[in-house]
Amino acid sequence: MKKIYTTLFHSLLMVFACVCTANAQLNRHPANVPYYHETAAKVNDLVDTRLDVSFDYQKSYLHGKEWIVLKPHFYPTDSVRLDAKGMDIKTVGIMVQGKVVPLKYHYEDSLSLVIQLNKTYTEKERYTLFVEYTAKPNELHDKPGFKLDGKGLYFVNPQGKEPGKPTQIWTQGEAESSSCWFPTIDKPDQKTTEQVSMTVPAKYTTLSNGLLISQKNNADGTRTDTWKQSLPHCPYLFMMAIGDFKVYKDKWRNKEVSYYLEPAFAPYAKQIFGKTPEMMELYSKALGVDFPWEKYAQVVVRDYPLGAMENSSATLHGEYVQKTPWDMIDDPNGSGGTTIAHELFHQWFGDLVTCESWSNETLNESFAVFGEKYWNEKTYGKDDGDAKRYDELQAYLNNGTAYKQALTPFVYADQDGVNGANIYDKGGLVLTMLRNFLGDDAFFKGLGLYLKSHAFKNGEVHDLRLAMEEISGKDMNWFFNQWYYGAGHPVLDITYQWDEATHQQKVMISQKQDGQIFKVPVAVDLYVQGKTTRKQVWLTQKTDTLSFDCTAKPQLVNVDADKVLITKKVDHKSLDEFNYQYHHAPLYLDRLEALNAAMGQQTSKQGMDIVLSALKDKYHGMQLKAIRALKIDSAEIAKAALPILADLATHDPNYPVRAAAISVLAKTKSSGYIDIYRASLASPSYTVKGAALTALNTLAPTDAFKTAKSMEADGKGQLGQAIINVYATSGSDTEWPYVINALKKGSTQAKFDLARGPLPQMIGRLDNKQYVLEGINTIRDMAISFKRYGITPKLITALQQIEEARKKLNDSASAAAVEDAIKEISQAKG
């Protein structure tokens, strides 16, 4: 699964982790008390699952018939327990000579079926259960707003009452929510083959795991599609997607690769997903294990907030991946490229080999994060891969609680769950360290051995260690014990001392963290008289003193020269040394460390040199950081930087760099750049257009307003936001319908940004009281719907701004409406 990196959805991810754990344990433990999460005992094993399902769109029900083939795992048994959450159970029986023989069962807390079999079965015997049932996901979790409450099956606009939104059905099984739409043993260490027959209105397209083996038109205007996957996988990876999709068929080697999109985006399928076969080839060759499934499909659905889900052979994406070429022009890595790579790598790590328990989930998610960064590195260059890894490091370090939990946790409270910043952010970086230590050849051969040894089975972290040890011949317990089974990371303080008499360079490295002292290999590069010498050392103590013989004082000592160590560090280099590092050390992170050191000292000679050099860096990500860090209020900085910015705004090949440069130029409020803004309004990039319109608004609001009116029909992305900002400055009742329509159509994050940004200013100025009330109620509804995610205080502040403005207009009714809205928010349940 791919998480989305926003403030709002980070909290959603944490809620998801907690809910998954709570569902898995059936609330047998207090949610706030840490306990050992044992792997569920395997009494029976799934072998094959066959489903025949149809849908009630009016009630959002699924009507199902299921045939499940099972066998005792080892010991003889006369009973079986199936997870089946919130269903109406109509028939439970066993198949005997083609007929259903009823069985006795107990439906425990509407969560699990405890079934008494017709005899005692041994591990060499198989039996087939039949269950007829109705799944009622919306009644299982009947709460306002979309929440990740594990209901497994989602109906989108099922009655077609929401204008502009398609009718769809899709599933989300991770962690243990597939049992909300079919009875199963809903554990990650179960594997089963699968066949799903879906009866749907004939106008709709279906997708599931495996291959489409038959389609049958029915007399009632429906069609039954049957999908079959002959390769075993986990129940949480079962999927269905049903809707008005157009299918673009691609190919990798001899396997079909297909892309399912809404009709409006179908012409852009190749541009959105077209690098998928290239990714499949890269991963297959690197791992020495070919893409394992019968086909690979990707479908885009509405209302899916977590990014994407790696269902075996059929990944489901959220709608943010679905873009036009004009949207994609601003993304140097293509539309959703990182997410597409992430979910594809899961087809090996998570799907082919699945974590044995959720405590071992790092074997799923950390690998997918590693895989996406590996794609970035190999396709867009090492700078791009390293930049993305740096973002992961910051997400982990800034989490606040991740350092307290091991990457492979077994003891934790359900309300804490498995920390997402560990299994995503830290976990991918741990794999990068392992790759660096072993070298690419041994590392990827180790991954290949792990995959081949556990294909269509499950793995634990120790299995990964054993594979790496077998290939490399190295004992790796030290690595796995501290990075997988221990918590935290080293916090380093690095100081330097040169002894002219002995020509020795000393480096003192202290570990300041609480808890374990880390044993880590570190590369140290010494730059002496134009030559670079690498020393490989180990840190093993609370404080390590390293001594190196040098012919002269080094211009630079670069500790962790490969920039792979997971650490928070204070590096006591001089700005001179950081300047040397920027211009001579080879990596993006070398240059970024220098830029970060220079940000607070931009007016110094060395600091200015670093910042100005970074404005022209070879990697666009570095340019963006430098542009955003500029202290343009300094006359000295402005004199040196503004000509560079003007050139970037006009000529840089990267559109986000152009837009960022325009935004900084706008802060000067100098009319000397107005021609750049006007020319940039013709850019093919919505980001550049948006920045140019916003900049024009600071100098010529009347011209900006006229331009905004002329661009309304094309107001997408950042341009649409800029138009709204212009209207917040100069618009009136006439522009309100455009603004509120944009708000209703926008993503949740866009709505939040608008509501806490320019929207209150405009609402405070409107004449039409109905429009004012509409704006107040819209912000109120958002605050209530997302109260549990911590954004309510900022939306209340927005309402208070409206109240203050309406009072100045003597509009007591609207001011009272704000007070009522705030009361409703306060009284609403979070």
Side-chain angles (χ1 to χ4, degrees):
M1 181 179 290
K2 173 71 175 179
K3 65 179 179 178
I4 291 179
Y5 293 94
T6 66
T7 301
L8 176 58
F9 288 125
H10 178 73
S11 58
L12 281 171
L13 175 69
M14 292 298 100
V15 170
F16 172 78
C18 296
V19 168
C20 292
T21 306
N23 283 346
Q25 300 300 323
L26 300 181
N27 297 318
R28 293 171 184 160
H29 300 271
N32 62 344
V33 178
Y35 66 96
Y36 177 75
H37 286 68
E38 65 182 16
T39 301
K42 296 181 75 171
V43 180
N44 290 277
D45 292 339
L46 296 172
V47 177
D48 181 63
T49 303
R50 183 158 62 94
L51 295 165
D52 188 347
V53 301
S54 60
F55 306 92
D56 185 331
Y57 283 79
Q58 296 301 309
K59 296 181 179 180
S60 296
Y61 287 177
L62 176 149
H63 300 295
K65 295 179 180 180
E66 179 179 32
W67 295 261
I68 321 171
V69 180
L70 302 104
K71 61 177 286 295
H73 180 72
F74 183 79
Y75 299 105
T77 184
D78 62 355
S79 65
V80 62
R81 178 186 291 268
L82 299 179
D83 299 298
K85 301 185 178 87
M87 299 177 181
D88 287 345
I89 305 298
K90 299 177 181 179
T91 303
V92 175
I94 192 164
M95 301 302 299
V96 178
Q97 296 181 345
K99 294 183 178 181
V100 178
V101 176
L103 295 174
K104 294 180 180 180
Y105 68 92
H106 172 59
Y107 195 17
E108 197 172 272
D109 299 324
S110 292
L111 290 172
S112 60
L113 284 169
V114 182
I115 303 169
Q116 186 67 42
L117 300 175
N118 60 334
K119 68 167 192 170
T120 298
Y121 288 84
T122 69
E123 64 173 317
K124 295 182 179 180
E125 294 179 284
R126 297 185 179 191
Y127 59 91
T128 302
L129 295 180
F130 172 80
V131 183
E132 186 174 3
Y133 63 96
T134 297
K136 303 178 177 181
N138 287 356
E139 295 179 20
L140 179 63
H141 295 287
D142 188 14
K143 301 174 184 177
F146 184 91
K147 297 180 178 66
L148 286 174
D149 46 20
K151 61 185 180 182
L153 178 68
Y154 295 84
F155 289 79
V156 177
N157 194 19
Q159 299 178 34
K161 293 182 178 180
E162 297 180 62
K165 177 178 281 192
T167 296
Q168 297 175 347
I169 298 173
W170 49 265
T171 59
Q172 166 57 41
E174 191 176 0
E176 297 177 3
S177 296
S178 286
S179 49
C180 297
W181 65 275
F182 66 95
T184 189
I185 304 176
D186 206 353
K187 303 298 176 187
D189 61 351
Q190 290 283 342
K191 298 259 180 170
T192 170
T193 53
E194 166 197 354
Q195 180 173 305
V196 178
S197 296
M198 290 175 267
T199 298
V200 301
K203 63 183 178 180
Y204 291 138
T205 300
T206 69
L207 175 65
S208 188
N209 313 95
L211 300 175
L212 180 63
I213 62 171
S214 71
Q215 290 188 299
K216 177 187 174 185
N217 291 314
N218 306 312
D220 61 357
T222 63
R223 188 186 69 254
T224 301
D225 290 355
T226 299
W227 294 80
K228 182 175 182 178
Q229 180 158 293
S230 300
L231 302 169
H233 66 150
C234 294
Y236 80 86
L237 297 168
F238 277 43
M239 75 85 67
M240 298 185 297
I242 301 156
D244 182 16
F245 303 116
K246 297 297 181 185
V247 185
Y248 181 97
K249 292 190 182 298
D250 209 337
K251 189 176 183 180
W252 173 75
R253 296 185 187 176
N254 62 340
K255 292 187 178 182
E256 179 184 306
V257 177
S258 52
Y259 318 129
Y260 290 63
L261 298 114
E262 292 177 30
F265 294 91
Y268 319 123
K270 186 71 172 177
Q271 290 163 279
I272 296 171
F273 289 115
K275 291 187 181 294
T276 301
E278 185 182 340
M279 294 177 182
M280 296 169 78
E281 189 68 17
L282 175 68
Y283 293 157
S284 295
K285 287 183 176 178
L287 297 170
V289 177
D290 286 347
F291 175 81
W293 306 101
E294 296 150 307
K295 65 99 172 39
Y296 190 54
Q298 296 176 89
V299 60
V300 183
V301 300
R302 294 290 187 100
D303 292 352
Y304 186 80
L306 266 181
M309 178 63 205
E310 67 276 9
N311 310 295
S312 305
S313 81
T315 286
L316 184 144
H317 289 278
E319 64 187 288
Y320 78 99
V321 173
Q322 199 163 239
K323 296 180 180 179
T324 68
W326 296 274
D327 297 317
M328 290 183 276
I329 199 172
D330 288 329
D331 184 353
N333 293 1
S335 172
T338 298
T339 301
I340 293 167
H342 179 108
E343 305 309 331
L344 178 59
F345 211 64
H346 264 310
Q347 301 298 313
W348 286 266
F349 295 93
D351 296 3
L352 176 62
V353 182
T354 309
C355 61
E356 177 265 353
S357 66
W358 296 119
S359 292
N360 285 274
E361 193 177 1
T362 182
L363 292 173
N364 293 13
E365 294 302 342
S366 300
F367 273 102
V369 171
F370 172 85
E372 70 186 54
K373 304 308 182 289
Y374 183 69
W375 163 256
N376 286 116
E377 170 191 324
K378 292 300 181 181
T379 308
Y380 306 110
K382 183 164 174 55
D383 279 358
D384 196 73
D386 286 347
K388 302 298 190 295
R389 294 183 187 104
Y390 177 79
D391 291 341
E392 300 285 353
L393 176 61
Q394 298 313 302
Y396 162 70
L397 293 176
N398 294 329
N399 179 264
T401 60
Y403 74 96
K404 298 178 182 179
Q405 188 181 81
L407 184 54
T408 308
F410 293 96
V411 178
Y412 56 88
D414 284 342
Q415 71 175 10
D416 296 330
V418 176
N419 192 290
N422 271 339
I423 62 171
Y424 286 88
D425 305 312
K426 180 181 181 180
L429 297 171
V430 168
L431 290 170
T432 297
M433 284 196 301
L434 185 60
R435 173 191 177 190
N436 180 265
F437 178 75
L438 294 175
D440 272 17
D441 192 34
F443 175 76
F444 283 105
K445 284 184 178 178
L447 296 188
L449 177 61
Y450 167 78
L451 291 170
K452 292 169 187 174
S453 301
H454 299 83
F456 305 108
K457 299 176 184 177
N458 296 84
E460 298 185 51
V461 167
H462 283 305
D463 295 315
L464 177 64
R465 174 182 61 81
L466 291 170
M468 293 299 176
E469 289 183 342
E470 182 172 339
I471 293 297
S472 70
K474 297 175 182 288
D475 182 288
M476 296 303 298
N477 275 293
W478 65 271
F479 184 93
F480 281 79
N481 285 344
Q482 65 185 359
W483 289 111
Y484 281 95
Y485 297 108
H489 55 274
V491 177
L492 302 182
D493 186 87
I494 307 172
T495 56
Y496 307 88
Q497 181 180 332
W498 169 250
D499 189 327
E500 183 64 34
T502 62
H503 274 218
Q504 274 200 336
Q505 175 67 58
K506 290 187 177 181
V507 182
M508 286 70 71
I509 305 177
S510 297
Q511 299 191 35
K512 299 291 188 179
Q513 73 279 0
D514 295 328
Q516 66 172 319
I517 298 300
F518 284 81
K519 172 186 176 181
V520 288
V522 175
V524 179
D525 280 356
L526 302 166
Y527 291 75
V528 181
Q529 296 179 330
K531 294 182 180 180
T532 307
T533 303
R534 171 157 295 192
K535 303 291 185 179
Q536 295 286 353
V537 300
W538 285 82
L539 305 184
T540 59
Q541 306 296 325
K542 182 74 173 175
T543 298
D544 287 282
T545 299
L546 313 175
S547 296
F548 306 105
D549 294 325
C550 301
T551 57
K553 181 180 179 181
Q555 289 105 330
L556 173 68
V557 179
N558 195 5
V559 177
D560 186 24
D562 287 329
K563 297 294 181 283
V564 294
L565 186 59
I566 301 172
T567 180
K568 179 178 285 188
K569 66 181 179 181
V570 176
D571 195 337
H572 296 277
K573 290 191 183 85
S574 67
L575 201 54
D576 268 335
E577 290 168 318
F578 275 119
N579 193 24
Y580 189 94
Q581 179 172 310
Y582 181 92
H583 291 288
H584 294 88
L587 302 178
Y588 164 82
L589 292 176
D590 291 315
R591 306 196 304 279
L592 182 60
E593 283 184 355
L595 177 61
N596 288 338
M599 284 180 181
Q601 304 178 63
Q602 293 181 30
T603 55
S604 69
K605 178 182 177 182
Q606 300 90 342
M608 186 179 297
D609 182 61
I610 294 171
V611 172
L612 296 180
S613 297
L615 290 176
K616 298 177 283 188
D617 195 89
K618 63 179 181 177
Y619 178 60
H620 64 87
M622 185 72 72
Q623 291 179 280
L624 288 169
K625 290 183 181 295
I627 292 169
R628 291 163 183 163
L630 275 175
K631 294 185 176 180
I632 209 69
D633 54 342
S634 163
E636 192 175 3
I637 295 293
K639 181 180 179 181
L642 289 176
I644 299 174
L645 290 175
D647 183 68
L648 294 177
T650 307
H651 300 113
D652 197 90
N654 184 272
Y655 288 121
V657 170
R658 287 196 190 192
I662 290 170
S663 296
V664 175
L665 292 175
K667 293 178 181 179
T668 68
K669 297 185 179 180
S670 169
S671 59
Y673 305 114
I674 197 167
D675 288 342
I676 293 177
Y677 308 153
R678 286 179 169 144
S680 297
L681 292 169
S683 171
S685 162
Y686 289 119
T687 300
V688 173
K689 285 180 180 178
L693 181 60
T694 300
L696 184 63
N697 194 45
T698 64
L699 295 174
T702 302
D703 288 354
F705 183 79
K706 291 178 181 178
T707 303
K709 295 294 285 186
S710 69
M711 287 182 152
E712 272 193 7
D714 197 34
K716 300 172 185 175
Q718 294 299 313
L719 176 58
Q721 186 67 43
I723 291 172
I724 292 171
N725 289 337
V726 170
Y727 289 165
T729 303
S730 308
S732 61
D733 290 7
T734 304
E735 288 69 48
W736 175 253
Y738 176 88
V739 173
I740 193 64
N741 185 56
L743 181 68
K744 291 176 179 177
K745 287 185 176 180
S747 66
T748 302
Q749 189 68 48
K751 291 176 182 178
F752 176 60
D753 291 340
L754 182 59
R756 67 172 184 167
L759 192 64
Q761 181 183 353
M762 186 177 189
I763 296 172
R765 191 176 60 247
L766 295 173
D767 293 326
N768 187 313
K769 303 294 176 51
Q770 288 301 115
Y771 287 170
V772 173
L773 186 60
E774 183 179 23
I776 293 169
N777 290 341
T778 299
I779 297 175
R780 175 204 64 195
D781 293 345
M782 284 183 61
I784 292 173
S785 294
F786 294 99
K787 188 173 184 179
R788 66 185 292 191
Y789 305 124
I791 65 172
T792 296
K794 293 180 179 179
L795 295 179
I796 288 177
T797 299
L799 287 170
Q800 291 169 338
Q801 291 172 356
I802 296 170
E803 181 182 18
E804 184 178 348
R806 300 314 299 184
K807 283 180 178 179
K808 290 180 180 178
L809 295 175
N810 297 317
D811 181 7
S812 57
S814 295
V818 171
E819 290 291 337
D820 291 340
I822 293 174
K823 287 180 183 177
E824 289 183 59
I825 295 168
S826 300
Q827 294 170 359
K829 293 182 180 180

